[in-house]
Amino acid sequence: MSIAQFEDLPDEILLEICIYLTTVDIINAFGRSNSRLERTITQFRHDINLQQLTLKQFQHFCYHVIPSYADCIVKLTINTWYAPGEIALFNRFIAPYKSLHEFLPSLKQIWLINFSNKDIDIIPKILSIEKVLIDSDAQVSLLHSTKVLLDRYLFCTRNSIKELRLYDSEEGFRLQHDLPVMTCLYLQKLIISVATSDDLILIFRRAPNLIKLHVEISLFSTDLPKQYATTDIMPRHIKDFHLWVKDKRLLIFEDLYNILTNIPTIECLSLEIETDDIQYSQGHRWRELFSYLPRLARLDMGLKIWIGFNKVPIDVTPYLQTFSENGLDICAYADTRVLYIDAIPYEFDSATGVMTSPSASRAKATNMSLFQKRARRVNTLCFDGRHESTSANDWFQVIHRFPTIQVLDIISINVTDQLDSKFLENTRHLRLPNLTILRYIRSTKCQVNIPFFMYLANNEVLAPRLCSLTMMYGDFVYVCKRLPIDFQFTRFHELRLYGNGADGCICLKDIQLILKIFPNLKHFWIHVQSSRTINKNIQFIIQEILSSLTNLISLRLSCKKHSLRFPVLPDDDHTWIQHACRLSQSKHVHCTIDKKEISVWK
């Protein structure tokens, strides 16, 4: 078949091309071309994703493209992580409408990523949408007042929400226990991070019709209980229940037992629990618990049990035996303090993350054939090395079991050996073709094992799509100062740096070195624990970054404690930022400057 022009390509080839393009690129390229191309890209007109746009692209899309497709849009994603201020600007754009449905009548899902305090005004306009997903800002904490308003709008105001995700990466949401309980009759699916177990019980009371509940509980509270889990308030319809407990003091096994045995409708159970209760390691207690769940068809479980006190690794054999004797398929591994128990195989129905340890290289299992099965739908792998001495081989033996991951998150790293010829031979067939994000958080004493780091970060055979790097500032500078003088990381487009007391002050000289090594950055974030580590040079640092990175789209500097300080200028005088960006008009740059954050989007 002879193809003379682009339109002659079959639909299958056009759709294959679209996979590699953003929604915006697809609509800009093919939209309004002809009726056939319009039909071909129908699915992409339904799902509009506004993340990773320049400010100019966003403005064009809002004022010229979205109005043309307003009746078609079913899903909308807005992400201020890549476009600081995007939610607030979009809310300003829809100001003439009382609700978002008036503008986008077919909209069924909205996802607000990196939601911040200044975005709260959009919430009343989205209460008629069936599926609402809100992920809070991971760097600047939500104010108590913002969390109160979110609680009141989403749980204490009449709405049409059937599926809700409300996630806060820090302490979770403290729900309002002093308000009259309003029943959320429509709410069937809920993913939420809450502060305490009291908040979980309040959810049971507020949402009696849930069929899916995924909840993360962050804090142990010594306060008197505000809620009691009586049998009459326990949910009657939940089929899919996920519980993530982040404080080891929070939930003893007996409390978990009492909760789960009163939800006999559970068909899919997922548990991610950190604890110091030894009962979690006893297989017969789990078998007894599961006998009260007659419909249970699927179990995903990751237990992190703090029971070790010696300087030698915990012997997992007796714990493994108790699960084997009770017919439960698990693997077990340990370091000197923590016993890990995971359900096997690592196969999931939807994309998910797995938390593990380099000690999993020595894991034992009740069924080795299940343990060795290829992991399925694991997109994120999170390691915690706990700063215990490890070899590079320990980490890579575990990584090898999860070849489809997109995100590799490793923290508390203490790799003591070098990468010898034996290691290189063992890992030469390892491929991570989907890996795009590497988070390498805190080496022992900020002393990064350079060969180990470079094998991950600068190995295009291992990870050809890797483009995003997150590190602690002290670790990062340690690496940069030990690279060859002309070396550059041209592959990275995103860089996130975090700093606390151990990382020292953010220095202009170090920033200049970083910019030299990372010349192609499009998104750059620096988050410090205390503003005092950056205030001295903050304006010079911002000007240096904005003037040096020609491809830069967004810059964020933020702090957790104290306040960022800038030269005394009128509140709306951002001309120095405009000049640093080499832009002729202020409308081409959007700035946010407050006590906790400065962000630039251009």
Side-chain angles (χ1 to χ4, degrees):
M1 180 180 68
S2 175
I3 296 177
Q5 54 187 355
F6 184 81
E7 286 82 355
D8 294 334
L9 289 171
D11 287 352
E12 292 79 5
I13 300 298
L14 291 174
L15 291 173
E16 185 72 20
I17 293 171
C18 288
I19 292 174
Y20 297 92
L21 302 175
T22 67
T23 305
V24 175
D25 291 334
I26 294 167
I27 291 177
N28 283 338
F30 306 130
R32 307 298 181 188
S33 297
N34 56 54
S35 57
R36 183 227 165 185
L37 285 175
E38 279 286 299
R39 289 194 303 271
T40 303
I41 67 167
T42 295
Q43 68 189 78
F44 299 100
R45 290 185 294 145
H46 291 169
D47 187 353
I48 300 298
N49 190 329
L50 298 180
Q51 64 181 353
Q52 296 201 26
L53 300 183
T54 66
L55 179 60
K56 187 176 181 180
Q57 288 173 330
F58 171 78
Q59 292 167 338
H60 171 76
F61 214 75
C62 281
Y63 289 98
H64 301 288
V65 178
I66 290 182
S68 301
Y69 294 101
D71 293 337
C72 305
I73 298 172
V74 177
K75 297 180 181 180
L76 178 65
T77 300
I78 309 175
N79 187 348
T80 69
W81 186 254
Y82 294 101
E86 188 175 56
I87 295 175
L89 287 179
F90 183 80
N91 189 42
R92 192 184 306 172
F93 168 67
I94 62 171
Y97 303 93
K98 291 183 179 180
S99 74
L100 188 51
H101 256 152
E102 287 185 22
F103 178 49
L104 305 175
S106 301
L107 192 67
K108 295 186 180 298
Q109 173 183 312
I110 185 167
W111 191 0
L112 305 176
I113 303 174
N114 221 47
F115 183 90
S116 67
N117 295 302
K118 54 184 172 290
D119 301 323
I120 191 65
D121 291 342
I122 200 174
I123 299 300
K125 294 188 176 184
I126 65 175
L127 298 181
S128 60
I129 300 172
E130 290 184 4
K131 186 174 182 178
V132 175
L133 302 94
I134 302 172
D135 293 340
S136 72
D137 193 325
Q139 293 183 350
V140 180
S141 302
L142 293 183
L143 297 172
H144 174 70
S145 57
T146 302
K147 292 185 177 182
V148 168
L149 287 172
L150 283 169
D151 184 22
R152 295 201 177 202
Y153 282 134
L154 298 172
F155 292 104
C156 305
T157 302
R158 295 197 180 279
N159 60 64
S160 304
I161 300 173
K162 293 182 179 179
E163 185 169 351
L164 174 63
R165 171 185 168 99
L166 185 60
Y167 187 77
D168 178 62
S169 59
E170 289 221 336
E171 296 181 352
F173 289 89
R174 291 182 182 273
L175 304 181
Q176 304 304 295
H177 295 262
D178 55 345
L179 297 178
V181 174
M182 177 178 167
T183 303
C184 303
L185 294 175
Y186 297 104
L187 190 60
Q188 296 181 340
K189 299 179 180 180
L190 176 62
I191 300 175
I192 188 170
S193 58
V194 296
T196 69
S197 54
D198 279 336
D199 299 312
L200 171 61
I201 299 170
L202 182 56
I203 288 171
F204 290 158
R205 298 181 64 196
R206 286 178 171 181
N209 297 324
L210 287 175
I211 59 175
K212 173 182 177 179
L213 175 59
H214 290 200
V215 62
E216 171 187 313
I217 310 176
S218 299
L219 303 174
F220 172 74
S221 175
T222 57
D223 297 339
L224 291 175
K226 298 182 178 69
Q227 305 286 338
Y228 293 91
T230 55
T231 55
D232 59 303
I233 69 165
M234 298 303 288
R236 298 285 185 263
H237 310 288
I238 288 182
K239 297 180 179 180
D240 183 348
F241 185 53
H242 170 83
L243 179 63
W244 182 8
V245 176
K246 299 173 72 174
D247 190 310
K248 62 186 178 183
R249 302 166 297 169
L250 204 154
L251 193 69
I252 61 173
F253 186 86
E254 204 62 39
D255 289 341
L256 176 71
Y257 185 96
N258 291 333
I259 291 172
L260 294 182
T261 54
N262 281 288
I263 317 178
T265 54
I266 292 176
E267 298 175 5
C268 299
L269 177 62
S270 176
L271 301 171
E272 195 73 45
I273 296 177
E274 187 162 350
T275 181
D276 56 9
D277 183 0
I278 191 78
Q279 288 195 70
Y280 279 92
S281 66
Q282 298 170 0
H284 69 276
R285 293 306 317 269
W286 287 101
R287 174 52 62 195
E288 180 185 352
L289 168 58
F290 296 150
S291 69
Y292 287 91
L293 304 176
R295 301 182 186 178
L296 185 64
R298 177 174 184 84
L299 173 66
D300 299 319
M301 182 171 71
L303 305 177
K304 189 176 179 180
I305 310 170
W306 292 74
I307 57 174
F309 300 97
N310 300 316
K311 294 184 178 180
V312 295
I314 299 165
D315 180 8
V316 304
T317 305
Y319 306 105
L320 191 72
Q321 185 175 349
T322 69
F323 282 88
S324 180
E325 290 171 350
N326 287 277
L328 299 174
D329 291 319
I330 61 102
C331 69
Y333 47 98
D335 54 32
T336 60
R337 297 291 303 279
V338 181
L339 168 67
Y340 300 85
I341 297 175
D342 295 347
I344 54 173
Y346 294 103
E347 296 181 340
F348 302 92
D349 294 330
S350 59
T352 191
V354 168
M355 296 185 179
T356 187
S357 158
S359 60
S361 62
R362 302 181 296 276
K364 297 180 180 179
T366 55
N367 186 324
M368 287 305 295
S369 62
L370 285 181
F371 176 66
Q372 292 169 354
K373 287 184 69 174
R374 181 187 176 101
R376 182 165 64 91
R377 293 190 176 176
V378 176
N379 68 346
T380 301
L381 187 62
C382 303
F383 278 95
D384 184 357
R386 296 204 323 101
H387 292 295
E388 295 205 355
S389 178
T390 55
S391 71
N393 197 51
D394 291 332
W395 298 79
F396 281 99
Q397 276 191 44
V398 182
I399 293 172
H400 194 274
R401 299 175 193 149
F402 303 90
T404 62
I405 56 172
Q406 299 172 13
V407 180
L408 178 58
D409 197 341
I410 57 180
I411 65 173
S412 305
I413 310 143
N414 184 13
V415 177
T416 55
D417 63 339
Q418 299 302 309
L419 276 57
D420 56 19
S421 58
K422 182 179 179 181
F423 169 84
L424 296 175
E425 175 63 24
N426 290 339
T427 58
R428 67 188 178 95
H429 296 300
L430 176 62
R431 298 292 183 270
L432 303 173
N434 301 323
L435 184 65
T436 57
I437 298 173
L438 172 63
R439 303 187 187 115
Y440 193 100
I441 304 295
R442 184 58 77 211
S443 297
T444 303
K445 298 180 180 179
C446 299
Q447 295 179 2
V448 180
N449 184 307
I450 303 292
F452 177 71
F453 171 77
M454 294 297 285
Y455 190 85
L456 287 168
N458 194 44
N459 189 337
E460 297 199 15
V461 175
L462 172 72
R465 300 178 63 187
L466 183 62
C467 62
S468 177
L469 176 64
T470 300
M471 289 187 74
M472 298 301 294
Y473 178 78
D475 290 24
F476 192 69
V477 172
Y478 180 92
V479 171
C480 289
K481 290 182 176 180
R482 286 159 178 79
L483 294 174
I485 190 167
D486 295 325
F487 181 86
Q488 289 187 319
F489 273 118
T490 55
R491 68 187 310 188
F492 287 107
H493 297 156
E494 302 173 17
L495 179 61
R496 302 171 180 85
L497 298 179
Y498 293 89
N500 59 28
D503 297 285
C505 292
I506 311 297
C507 302
L508 180 60
K509 184 177 180 181
D510 292 340
I511 294 295
Q512 290 169 335
L513 176 61
I514 291 168
L515 298 177
K516 178 184 175 184
I517 295 174
F518 289 79
N520 294 335
L521 292 180
K522 294 181 179 179
H523 306 281
F524 192 7
W525 302 269
I526 300 176
H527 179 72
V528 294
Q529 188 74 7
S530 170
S531 64
R532 294 171 181 171
T533 61
I534 196 172
N535 273 339
K536 182 178 179 181
N537 299 307
I538 189 166
Q539 184 174 359
F540 299 110
I541 288 172
I542 293 169
Q543 289 174 328
E544 186 72 23
I545 294 171
L546 293 177
S547 61
S548 300
L549 297 174
T550 56
N551 297 325
L552 190 71
I553 295 173
S554 69
L555 169 67
R556 289 190 71 191
L557 275 72
S558 59
C559 68
K560 185 173 180 65
K561 296 180 180 179
H562 311 117
S563 301
L564 298 175
R565 294 180 182 175
F566 303 94
V568 179
L569 295 170
D571 291 341
D572 58 349
D573 186 0
H574 301 157
T575 54
W576 63 279
I577 292 178
Q578 177 188 329
H579 293 156
C581 295
R582 298 188 178 94
L583 296 172
S584 58
Q585 298 183 48
S586 59
K587 68 178 182 180
H588 294 152
V589 60
H590 177 73
C591 304
T592 300
I593 298 179
D594 57 37
K595 292 181 179 180
K596 297 295 183 183
E597 174 188 2
I598 177 169
S599 63
V600 179
W601 178 27
K602 65 189 184 77

